[in-house]
Amino acid sequence: MNPAKRKRLESRGWRIGSSKEFLRLSEQENAYIELKLALAENLKKRRLEKKLTQVELAKLLQSNQSRVAKMEAGHPSVSLDLLVKSLLALGTTKQDIAGIILQE
Amino acid sequence: MNPAKRKRLESRGWRIGSSKEFLRLSEQENAYIELKLALAENLKKRRLEKKLTQVELAKLLQSNQSRVAKMEAGHPSVSLDLLVKSLLALGTTKQDIAGIILQE
DNA sequence: TGATTTTATGTCAAATATGGCATATAATTG
DNA sequence: CAATTATATGCCATATTTGACATAAAATCA
């Protein structure tokens, strides 16, 4: 919906937020969560490939084992920033990261 | 790193101490910042394509104009999470996002 | 030009993410 | 099996990110 139209409707008391928009909200939420889980799983995959324990990876990241566990689980308390920085610390390239995001 | 790039980062609020310290920005730190700036610039591009003002986009995101300005500037106070969620809110697909990350 | 709109920048309280820590559970080893 | 190692989960004080707000600066318009 274009902004001008939205403004017209809203000024007349309409509350925008069609069911279509509502559904798109959950689509967005879903895409965000999927993205995070893909990064999380890949982090674990790379750690195992390097034969590191969570404690060892935590030390590398200047973090701690419990946070690594939460990262690999894609826990809600873990940010994309931390996931991406952690992947980069393991030598992941942006080409790799793009590939991870594309995974189905 | 060339002076133009440094100026580009500094002008966007990245606090860089001495040039020596700046040169010590590790490859991963640099990759992280580049990634963020690529997403930031794309967010602005998409907003303009949709002919939205920052105020209008802010409303869409349930945020505010000043934060949209900071997002588009790739300001350090803006998280990857917020950037990605905002792009998704503008209809950006994960394929799109992967493409943005790959951009050189 | 001056008025209006749009964007940039700074501050702040509240919300969220973080490392550190304790401890539980699971997996491995001997 | 028990002992050891590895991972998961919960809590908390601190740090970072957030929306909200004020206002400055820049761009657009009439």
Side-chain angles (χ1 to χ4, degrees), chain B residues 63-64 66-67 77 79:
Chain B
S63 181
N64 55 78
S66 71
R67 187 132 302 271
S77 78
S79 71

Side-chain angles (χ1 to χ4, degrees), chain A residues 47 52-59 64-66 68-69 72:
Chain A
R47 173 178 66 82
L52 297 173
T53 66
Q54 289 183 347
V55 170
E56 288 167 332
L57 177 55
K59 178 174 279 186
N64 54 77
Q65 180 268 326
S66 70
V68 171
E72 292 183 351

Side-chain angles (χ1 to χ4, degrees), chain A:
Chain A
M1 178 177 303
N2 76 58
K5 183 177 183 182
R6 174 184 286 264
K7 198 170 183 179
R8 278 205 309 279
L9 293 179
E10 285 179 341
S11 68
R12 289 158 195 263
W14 290 95
R15 289 180 61 247
I16 312 304
S18 65
S19 63
K20 183 180 178 183
E21 284 179 357
F22 177 76
L23 288 176
R24 253 180 58 66
L25 267 189
S26 46
E27 277 178 33
Q28 288 168 218
E29 179 86 357
N30 190 55
Y32 169 74
I33 293 175
E34 276 187 13
L35 180 50
K36 213 160 132 175
L37 288 181
L39 295 172
E41 287 168 12
N42 199 273
L43 179 68
K44 179 169 187 172
K45 179 168 168 283
R46 282 168 196 273
R47 173 178 66 82
L48 293 176
E49 281 171 1
K50 291 179 184 293
K51 301 192 189 307
L52 297 173
T53 66
Q54 289 183 347
V55 170
E56 288 167 332
L57 177 55
K59 178 174 279 186
L60 195 70
L61 302 175
Q62 305 189 87
S63 181
N64 54 77
Q65 180 268 326
S66 70
R67 187 132 304 270
V68 171
K70 283 159 192 162
M71 277 194 253
E72 292 183 351
H75 191 275
S77 78
V78 174
S79 70
L80 279 185
D81 296 73
L82 187 62
L83 280 168
V84 167
K85 285 178 178 175
S86 299
L87 282 166
L88 292 173
L90 281 179
T92 311
T93 66
K94 61 183 179 183
Q95 287 78 14
D96 293 330
I97 292 176
I100 297 168
I101 291 174
L102 283 176
Q103 99 181 160
E104 295 306 311

Side-chain angles (χ1 to χ4, degrees), chain B residues 49-99:
Chain B
E49 281 171 1
K50 292 178 182 294
K51 301 192 191 307
L52 297 172
T53 66
Q54 290 183 348
V55 169
E56 288 167 333
L57 176 55
K59 188 172 185 183
L60 196 69
L61 302 175
Q62 305 188 87
S63 181
N64 55 78
Q65 180 268 326
S66 71
R67 187 132 302 271
V68 171
K70 284 158 190 162
M71 277 193 253
E72 292 184 351
H75 191 273
S77 78
V78 175
S79 71
L80 277 185
D81 296 72
L82 188 62
L83 279 168
V84 167
K85 285 179 177 174
S86 299
L87 282 165
L88 292 173
L90 281 179
T92 311
T93 66
K94 60 183 179 184
Q95 287 78 12
D96 293 330
I97 292 176

Side-chain angles (χ1 to χ4, degrees), chain B residues 12 35-45 70-75 83 87 100:
Chain B
R12 289 162 192 263
L35 179 50
K36 219 161 129 174
L37 289 181
L39 295 172
E41 287 167 9
N42 198 273
L43 180 69
K44 179 168 187 172
K45 179 168 167 286
K70 284 158 190 162
M71 277 193 253
E72 292 184 351
H75 191 273
L83 279 168
L87 282 165
I100 296 168

